[in-house]
Amino acid sequence: MMKKRVAVLASGRGSNFQAVIEAMQDGKIPATCVVLITDNPKAYAIERAGKAKIPVMILDYSLFSSPELYERALLSAMQQARADLFVLAGYMRIIGGVIVRSFPGKMMNIHPALLPCFTGLHAQRQAVQYGVKVSGCTVHFVDESLDGGPIILQRCVTLQEGDDEDSLAERILEHEHECFPEAIKLFCEDRLEIVGRTVRIRSPDLPSGVSRHE
Ligand code: GRF
């Protein structure tokens, strides 16, 4: 199987980026990370990319005079990457419609809640404040809605007595680090098929174009 080209967009710490790089280095995902694109010159993800010898493209958001100009530069950087898949690993900006329409079915995001609950920022805080007993994380394709694209994988995390935003975030993160590489692996093995709002996952033994209905 030909290795896929994966580009990662991240704005901060980059622990999910790290999990993805390691899964690629260990041969668990048939892909190469071709570039890290970031809007934040202080993102720790940049150091992680340096250690893994992954090229970095910094588009410092604060240096653009309008959101439109930033989006145009981002689109151009993404086109240059010639990636099969764009992975949003803690990328903290909303991706505009022009970019979403340029890469249909080729952009994935991870969100620290069980969508469609608690979209947007501070999902773990929203979950604690709401008083839910179960939350988790969701990997989904990106469409023009906010955290609303077709769902690829979800993992549950049970809330414990006394949990606060930080303790919950920490436990969810452990699942993110497994779930995100797993979803990227399925994509890179050509095993994901978007059917309306649903993502079908093909068994590894079935050729592409065939899916099992259970
Ligand atoms: C994660 O919780 C992810 O779900 C959310 O942003 C956070 C990024 O963390 N989208 P990291 O930068 O990957 O460590």
Side-chain angles (χ1 to χ4, degrees):
M1 180 178 293
M2 278 274 285
K3 275 194 171 186
K4 295 275 195 285
R5 294 171 61 86
V6 172
V8 175
L9 280 74
S11 302
R13 177 178 60 178
S15 70
N16 277 289
F17 173 47
Q18 185 72 41
V20 171
I21 301 174
E22 284 172 13
M24 286 180 188
Q25 287 170 341
D26 294 348
K28 291 182 187 150
I29 303 177
T32 308
C33 181
V34 291
V35 67
L36 166 73
I37 301 174
T38 183
D39 57 324
N40 174 13
K42 297 199 178 94
Y44 185 66
I46 296 172
E47 293 192 29
R48 297 182 192 271
K51 284 191 191 131
K53 301 198 168 34
I54 293 167
V56 179
M57 184 166 273
I58 303 174
L59 301 173
D60 185 346
Y61 188 82
S62 67
L63 300 180
F64 287 84
S65 52
S66 71
E68 292 71 28
L69 285 176
Y70 169 78
E71 281 271 314
R72 204 180 294 171
L74 178 58
L75 176 61
S76 151
M78 291 172 76
Q79 284 164 338
Q80 274 176 43
R82 293 185 297 107
D84 299 295
L85 176 68
F86 295 91
V87 167
L88 309 187
Y91 178 71
M92 301 312 281
R93 296 186 187 281
I94 290 173
I95 300 262
V98 174
I99 295 183
V100 172
R101 287 191 294 276
S102 300
F103 306 103
K106 287 184 163 197
M107 233 185 283
M108 241 182 226
N109 182 42
I110 184 143
H111 184 76
L114 292 177
L115 292 171
C117 283
F118 312 131
T119 57
L121 292 175
H122 308 301
Q124 303 94 331
R125 187 187 305 169
Q126 294 181 56
V128 170
Q129 287 177 349
Y130 198 91
V132 292
K133 301 294 187 198
V134 176
S135 190
C137 60
T138 304
V139 184
H140 64 93
F141 282 110
V142 175
D143 66 10
E144 290 185 56
S145 63
L146 175 66
D147 298 324
I151 290 171
I152 303 165
L153 291 178
Q154 293 187 301
R155 293 280 182 276
C156 295
V157 172
T158 304
L159 276 85
Q160 293 168 2
E161 209 54 47
D163 254 338
D164 60 12
E165 177 182 1
D166 292 340
S167 61
L168 178 62
E170 200 176 305
R171 289 210 312 290
I172 292 178
L173 201 59
E174 287 172 23
H175 290 261
E176 292 185 39
H177 294 165
E178 290 177 12
C179 197
F180 212 9
E182 176 63 21
I184 295 166
K185 171 184 152 80
L186 291 169
F187 180 95
C188 293
E189 291 175 348
D190 294 321
R191 289 172 56 197
L192 299 181
E193 185 189 4
I194 304 175
V195 185
R197 274 217 50 84
T198 303
V199 177
R200 290 206 179 125
I201 302 176
R202 273 192 285 272
S203 302
D205 52 328
L206 292 176
S208 62
V210 183
S211 45
R212 185 173 282 153
H213 299 260
E214 283 160 356

